[in-house]
Amino acid sequence: MGTDTGITIHQTFLPHTDPEASLAFYRDALGFEVLLDVGQGTMRWITVGPAGQPGTSIVLTPPAADPGITEEERRTITEMIAKGTFAAVILGTKDLDGTFERVQASGAEVMQEPVDQPYGFRDCAFRDPAGNTVRIKQL
């Protein structure tokens, strides 16, 4: 058993390739609040999170914006994002079927319809506009 250290998960980072499309997905389809939006053009850092949970958020970041990344690394990262193999997040909902229908109706790319998994829970999956895997499980 773990020891309660008081550590919580505060933020995680996902790349975006189109800030407006990512905003539409996370804000409009998933219903997240926009907590912060800094930068301009494609160089925007957009912090989104579930309503009423200001301590937990996702920062949507320009991919490979780190100045220490080489051009070859930048190309590799961009290719991995496009293939959907660079980043993923797992979300939870009390109403998986309703959430699936709402997100699917937004036009998001469906990777997997709701299904009972052999590892013990029911989930579905989408690709966000950048190609990241967004898996949603029934709580």
Side-chain angles (χ1 to χ4, degrees):
M1 284 293 167
T3 304
D4 183 3
T5 60
I7 296 174
T8 60
I9 297 172
H10 183 68
Q11 288 179 321
T12 190
F13 292 78
L14 286 178
H16 71 69
T17 52
D18 178 336
E20 291 304 323
S22 289
L23 258 178
F25 179 78
Y26 288 94
R27 179 192 60 211
D28 304 336
L30 291 177
F32 283 3
E33 294 178 334
V34 177
L35 304 171
L36 196 60
D37 186 345
V38 297
Q40 55 190 334
T42 57
M43 296 301 285
R44 282 167 69 186
W45 285 257
I46 305 164
T47 304
V48 296
Q53 298 180 45
T56 304
S57 59
I58 296 171
V59 182
L60 304 168
T61 63
D66 187 314
I69 292 176
T70 67
E71 276 309 310
E72 185 178 352
E73 290 168 332
R74 189 168 279 115
R75 273 193 303 278
T76 300
I77 289 168
T78 303
E79 289 168 6
M80 290 178 70
I81 292 168
K83 281 175 35 182
T85 57
F86 186 74
V89 65
I90 299 177
L91 307 175
T93 180
K94 292 178 179 156
D95 177 15
L96 183 66
D97 294 318
T99 299
F100 176 81
E101 288 174 16
R102 188 177 73 248
V103 177
Q104 182 183 37
S106 77
E109 181 182 340
V110 175
M111 293 174 66
Q112 174 207 299
E113 295 194 1
V115 66
D116 292 319
Q117 296 290 0
Y119 38 88
F121 54 81
R122 182 173 167 79
D123 70 359
C124 66
F126 294 93
R127 283 176 56 129
D128 80 0
N132 301 306
T133 297
V134 178
R135 191 165 281 283
I136 306 171
K137 69 185 247 181
Q138 176 74 46
L139 296 177

